[in-house]
């Protein structure tokens, strides 16, 4: 079939990307990537990836391919203990709770210390002033009261201005609500968090998992927040259709080839958001091509 070249001897060479998509489908279905390396097809391919990874500079594996494999939680060594997604999530929750509890405790100590200092200072100042006050005659007392009234009014006005000014300023959130600092790069959770960000960028993370991570204040990073890249590709697709009259973008297209291929792969694995499916369908985009049917 088209896109699956043959080598001398009749052996069919399946493109790396297609094998990767098969493995990603296994991960979505089974929750792990532990394919039996003794089975033909995907099993032998997985075995070859681990072999290449052990070679200097990861052999034939490019950094992009290594990142793709790790984004779906692929284990380069079968001797390492497999940790489930729920276990890593529980570890992250524990880490977040510990950091936030410590931050809230520090904030409480600082606030209590400031209040105690203010009370001590106010009491001492008041005591000194009370002891040093001498009796005043009636005229002096009235003048002082009048002057004090002007000062009080002025102070109230200044205080009102300060309160109005402060109300318009956006104050930083308390320490307990701030996002916990990033972990060291070699920390197991750090790598797992990077995998979640990568999986979401590629629409490989389920909505349920995204919601759970959002619920604990997970920081997705700047690359996950904007969706301008998608809209940019859509506009490029519109321009392609206006020029060629269709959306049959060849895989080798320098800009849209990879995007179109990835979009079809995400649709096959039910990872493409519904609104994006509708948007593409409205443009006349074909999700299942003749070559993809033959490859099944």
């Amino acid at each position: 079939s088209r896109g699956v070249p043959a080598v001398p001897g009749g052996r069919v060479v399946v493109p790396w990307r297609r094998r990767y998509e098969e493995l990603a489908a296994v991960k979505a279905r089974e929750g792990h990537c532990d394919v039996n390396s003794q089975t033909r097809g995907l099993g032998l391919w997985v075995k070859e990836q681990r072999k290449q990874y052990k070679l200097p500079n990861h052999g034939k594996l490019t950094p992009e391919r290594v990142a793709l494999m790790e984004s779906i939680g692929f284990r380069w060594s079968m001797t390492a203990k497999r940790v489930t997604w729920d276990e890593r999530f529980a570890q992250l929750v524990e880490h977040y709770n510990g950091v936030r509890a410590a931050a809230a405790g520090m904030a409480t100590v600082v606030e209590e210390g400031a209040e105690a200092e203010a009370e001590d200072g106010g009491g001492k100042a008041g005591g000194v002033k009370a002891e040093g006050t001498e009796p005043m005659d009636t005229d002096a007392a009235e003048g002082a009261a009048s002057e004090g009234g002007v000062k009080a009014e002025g102070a109230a006005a200044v205080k009102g201005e300060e309160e109005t000014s402060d109300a318009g300023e956006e104050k930083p959130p308390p320490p307990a609500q701030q996002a916990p600092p990033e972990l060291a790069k070699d920390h197991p959770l750090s790598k797992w968090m990077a995998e979640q960000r990568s999986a979401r960028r590629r629409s490989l993370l389920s909505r349920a998992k995204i919601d759970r991570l959002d619920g604990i204040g997970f920081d997705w990073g700047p690359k996950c927040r904007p969706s301008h890249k998608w809209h940019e590709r859509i506009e490029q697709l519109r321009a392609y259709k206006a020029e060629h009259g269709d959306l049959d973008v060849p895989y080798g297209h320098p800009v849209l080839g990879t995007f179109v291929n990835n979009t079809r792969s995400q649709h096959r694995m039910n990872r493409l958001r519904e609104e994006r499916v509708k948007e593409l369908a409205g443009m006349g985009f074909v999700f299942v091509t003749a070559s993809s049917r033959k490859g099944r």
Side-chain angles (χ1 to χ4, degrees):
S1 61
R2 191 178 69 179
V4 183
V7 297
R11 184 168 60 91
V12 176
V13 178
V14 179
W16 191 95
R17 172 71 66 166
R18 185 170 298 181
R19 287 297 190 205
Y20 167 76
E21 291 168 3
E22 292 176 14
L23 185 63
V26 171
K27 174 63 182 290
R29 185 175 64 252
E30 307 291 341
H32 60 79
C33 300
D34 296 343
V35 181
N36 188 345
S37 61
Q38 301 303 316
T39 57
R40 297 185 61 183
L42 185 59
L44 293 177
W45 179 84
V46 165
K47 184 178 181 180
E48 178 63 21
Q49 305 314 299
R50 291 194 173 104
K51 176 183 176 181
Q52 292 295 324
Y53 188 80
K54 293 177 182 179
L55 297 175
N57 299 320
H58 302 322
K60 297 179 181 179
L61 284 172
T62 63
E64 180 187 7
R65 289 182 174 182
V66 171
L68 283 173
M69 297 290 280
E70 292 180 347
S71 71
I72 58 174
F74 183 76
R75 292 193 296 165
W76 297 107
S77 173
M78 290 299 291
T79 58
K81 179 181 178 294
R82 188 177 75 203
V83 181
T84 66
W85 192 95
D86 287 330
E87 288 173 338
R88 284 291 187 221
F89 179 78
Q91 292 171 4
L92 183 64
V93 170
E94 183 179 359
H95 168 67
Y96 274 23
N97 287 340
V99 172
R100 286 168 176 161
M106 291 177 63
T108 302
V109 171
V110 171
E111 289 171 3
E112 290 176 352
E115 289 175 1
E117 185 177 351
E119 289 176 0
D120 292 344
K124 290 178 181 179
V128 172
K129 190 173 183 181
E131 292 174 0
T133 302
E134 296 181 357
M136 299 173 65
D137 58 23
T138 304
D139 294 338
E142 290 177 356
S146 175
E147 184 180 354
V150 173
K151 288 181 178 178
E153 291 176 1
V158 171
K159 184 179 180 181
E161 291 176 1
E162 290 176 350
E163 290 177 351
T164 304
S165 175
D166 290 342
E169 296 179 2
E170 184 178 352
K171 297 181 180 180
Q177 297 178 7
Q178 293 174 4
E182 287 293 323
L183 294 161
K185 289 185 178 181
D186 57 348
H187 194 284
L189 269 178
S190 181
K191 184 177 181 180
W192 182 82
M193 291 163 70
E195 290 173 358
Q196 306 315 300
R197 295 184 180 108
S198 176
R200 184 179 181 181
R201 284 196 299 271
R202 304 188 66 255
S203 300
L204 293 174
L205 198 62
S206 68
R207 172 49 55 184
K209 290 180 179 179
I210 292 174
D211 290 342
R212 290 178 69 183
L213 288 166
D214 283 339
I216 62 171
F218 184 75
D219 183 8
W220 294 101
K223 292 183 179 179
C224 282
R225 294 183 191 124
S227 58
H228 63 273
K229 203 70 176 178
W230 170 266
H231 298 301
E232 180 183 336
R233 290 288 182 256
I234 291 296
E235 291 305 315
Q236 291 169 346
L237 274 177
R238 294 185 195 280
Y240 183 94
K241 184 175 182 179
E243 181 180 353
H244 300 277
D246 56 49
L247 291 174
D248 297 336
V249 182
Y251 182 76
H253 191 279
V255 177
L256 292 171
T258 302
F259 170 77
V260 166
N261 185 65
N262 289 343
T263 300
R264 289 193 174 109
S265 299
Q266 291 168 11
H267 183 261
R268 282 199 300 272
M269 296 184 289
N270 294 321
R271 296 289 185 179
L272 197 61
R273 296 207 301 253
E274 184 178 355
E275 62 269 21
R276 293 187 171 182
V277 172
K278 291 180 178 178
E279 185 176 14
L280 287 167
M283 297 169 55
F285 185 82
V286 179
F287 289 99
V288 182
T289 62
S291 60
S292 62
R293 290 194 192 96
K294 292 178 182 179
R296 289 182 178 181

